[in-house]
């Protein structure tokens, strides 16, 4: 019979047995193939002001997800081997913003919990009234790699609630904004990915200078990224920036399945839509990039995850009883 033990370390510090890998710095160059001649030739790149003819959508849906590591675990298999495990809670939600009425409302939110491990024998864990559903991962299941495994079911949850939020409430002219890269959400219609933290440098020096020269409400031309997920992309500067070169800069992206003209249309729509949601520094330390509806949604979702200390104790008791 497989036995399971909860790691005494706070999971926010990683595993007591294995250190976390070093993250890439914000100036790390990307190896992606970039086509910068999509909207205008690279030699003609310059900041673009929004056209007066562009109209913002009447309804904007903003989607975000949060996750939390509730406990690290270790199994003791019958053959004497041991596998790392991670008990995690995650939630996704959608805020619907009616720009005509100036009103925002939560139109969908859901919480899920999972036990992520490569153990061939581990099953669901019932911790009090909460069940952690088993998510068996491939490979050896190193502890440092387990947090990344939570992203796939979280993304699937975001896709489900995004589709549900639009059912019966879309006239085909709304806009869906997902917090973070699109990845496998590229099939969602009229959707842009919103990347507020810039970790990779995609453009050559002369074109990067166009990005840092943007004024609030201006964008760069659309370019194409030849990454694994691919897609059309552009940069936008939000109002409320500090004046530093990259302050208030966000990168937007849309599906590579769109035509260049469709991507340019979404780029124009983003410029008349997103600046109105920019946060203020006195309210949010991640201003202006952390959009006001997203910040409120994150707070709501984190509250829905429950008390981490209570869940950690419940997991500990559950594994003790299991032994």
């Amino acid at each position: 019979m497989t036995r399971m033990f909860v790691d005494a370390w706070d999971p926010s510090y990683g595993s007591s047995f294995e250190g976390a890998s070093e993250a890439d710095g914000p100036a790390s160059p990307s190896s992606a193939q970039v086509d910068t001649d999509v909207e205008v030739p690279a030699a003609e790149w310059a900041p673009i002001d929004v056209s007066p003819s562009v109209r913002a959508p009447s309804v904007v849906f903003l989607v975000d997800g949060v996750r939390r590591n509730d406990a690290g675990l270790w199994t003791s298999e019958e053959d004497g081997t041991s596998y790392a495990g991670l008990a995690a809670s995650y939630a996704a939600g959608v805020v619907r913003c009616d720009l005509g009425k100036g009103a925002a409302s939560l139109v969908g939110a859901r919480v899920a919990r999972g036990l992520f491990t490569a153990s061939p024998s581990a099953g669901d864990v019932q911790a009090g009234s909460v069940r952690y559903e088993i998510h068996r991962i491939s490979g050896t299941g190193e502890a440092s790699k387990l947090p990344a495994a939570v992203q796939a079911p979280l993304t699937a949850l975001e896709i489900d609630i995004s589709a549900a939020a639009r059912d019966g409430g879309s006239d085909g002219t709304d806009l869906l904004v997902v917090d973070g890269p699109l990845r496998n959400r590229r099939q969602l219609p009229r959707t842009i990915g919103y990347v507020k933290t810039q970790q990779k440098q995609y453009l050559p020096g002369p074109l990067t200078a166009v990005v840092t020269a943007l004024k609030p409400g201006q964008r760069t031309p659309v370019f194409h990224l030849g990454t694994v997920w691919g897609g059309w992309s552009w940069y936008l500067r939000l109002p409320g920036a500090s004046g530093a070169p990259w302050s208030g800069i966000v990168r937007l992206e849309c599906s590579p399945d769109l035509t260049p003209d469709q991507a340019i249309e979404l780029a124009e729509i983003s410029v008349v839509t997103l600046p109105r949601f920019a946060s203020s520094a006195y309210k949010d330390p991640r201003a202006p990039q952390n959009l006001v509806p997203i910040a409120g949604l994150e707070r709501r979702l984190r509250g829905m995850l429950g008390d981490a200390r209570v869940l950690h104790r419940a997991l500990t008791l559950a594994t003790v009883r299991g032994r």
Side-chain angles (χ1 to χ4, degrees):
M1 178 180 177
T2 300
R3 295 183 297 167
M4 195 170 291
F5 302 82
V6 170
D7 194 334
W9 274 40
D10 184 329
S12 64
Y13 289 98
S15 168
S16 59
F17 293 91
E18 195 169 346
S21 60
E22 187 176 347
D24 290 333
S28 300
S30 171
S31 60
Q33 295 294 319
V34 181
D35 180 3
T36 56
D37 295 326
V38 175
E39 188 171 357
V40 297
E44 299 176 12
W45 264 48
I48 297 176
D49 291 303
V50 66
S51 170
S53 63
V54 178
R55 296 289 179 265
S58 57
V59 173
V60 180
F61 295 96
L62 296 103
V63 184
D64 195 15
V66 299
R67 58 187 183 181
R68 185 185 65 206
N69 298 339
D70 292 337
L73 301 96
W74 292 90
T75 69
S76 177
E77 308 289 328
E78 291 185 355
D79 62 2
T81 58
S82 180
Y83 291 89
L86 174 66
S89 296
Y90 51 99
V94 182
V95 174
R96 182 182 186 274
C97 296
D98 187 320
L99 301 189
K101 297 179 180 178
S105 59
L106 182 68
V107 293
R110 199 181 309 166
V111 176
R113 308 183 199 274
L115 171 61
F116 299 83
T117 181
S119 167
S121 59
D124 295 356
V125 173
Q126 187 69 38
S129 61
V130 173
R131 176 174 291 273
Y132 288 82
E133 180 182 351
I134 187 69
H135 289 264
R136 214 172 312 280
I137 67 172
S138 59
T140 56
E142 296 96 326
S144 63
K145 296 181 179 180
L146 295 178
V150 185
Q151 185 60 48
L154 174 56
T155 299
L157 192 61
E158 291 178 356
I159 292 173
D160 287 346
I161 64 169
S162 299
R166 270 178 157 171
D167 284 348
S170 172
D171 59 1
T173 62
D174 59 17
L175 180 68
L176 179 67
V177 181
V178 299
D179 194 53
L182 276 182
R183 295 194 176 96
N184 55 353
R185 296 171 286 196
R186 54 198 281 177
Q187 77 278 13
L188 298 172
R190 292 183 63 80
T191 299
I192 59 175
Y194 179 85
V195 184
K196 57 178 174 278
T197 302
Q198 310 309 315
Q199 295 183 337
K200 294 291 185 180
Q201 184 173 320
Y202 293 105
L203 301 173
L207 301 190
T208 297
V210 176
V211 179
T212 56
L214 293 175
K215 295 179 181 178
Q218 289 183 327
R219 67 172 178 89
T220 66
V222 171
F223 56 96
H224 186 269
L225 285 177
T227 59
V228 174
W229 293 110
W232 308 106
S233 191
W234 61 96
Y235 289 96
L236 163 69
R237 191 187 295 273
L238 298 172
S242 67
W246 283 87
S247 177
I249 296 290
V250 295
R251 186 175 66 81
L252 293 310
E253 57 183 38
C254 61
S255 172
D257 299 331
L258 300 177
T259 66
D261 287 342
Q262 289 172 325
I264 293 169
E265 179 187 2
L266 282 177
E268 289 282 84
I269 291 173
S270 72
V271 179
V272 297
T273 303
L274 297 180
R276 69 182 66 200
F277 296 129
S279 53
S280 302
Y282 73 93
K283 290 185 177 180
D284 193 324
R286 291 180 290 171
Q289 288 97 317
N290 200 38
L291 303 180
V292 172
I294 292 292
L297 178 58
E298 287 177 343
R299 288 192 295 271
R300 180 72 174 270
L301 293 176
R302 288 196 180 99
M304 293 173 63
L305 294 181
D307 191 310
R309 296 168 298 179
V310 172
L311 289 169
H312 193 279
R313 287 197 295 269
L315 283 162
T316 303
L317 290 173
T319 56
V320 168
R321 294 192 186 103
R323 299 196 296 270

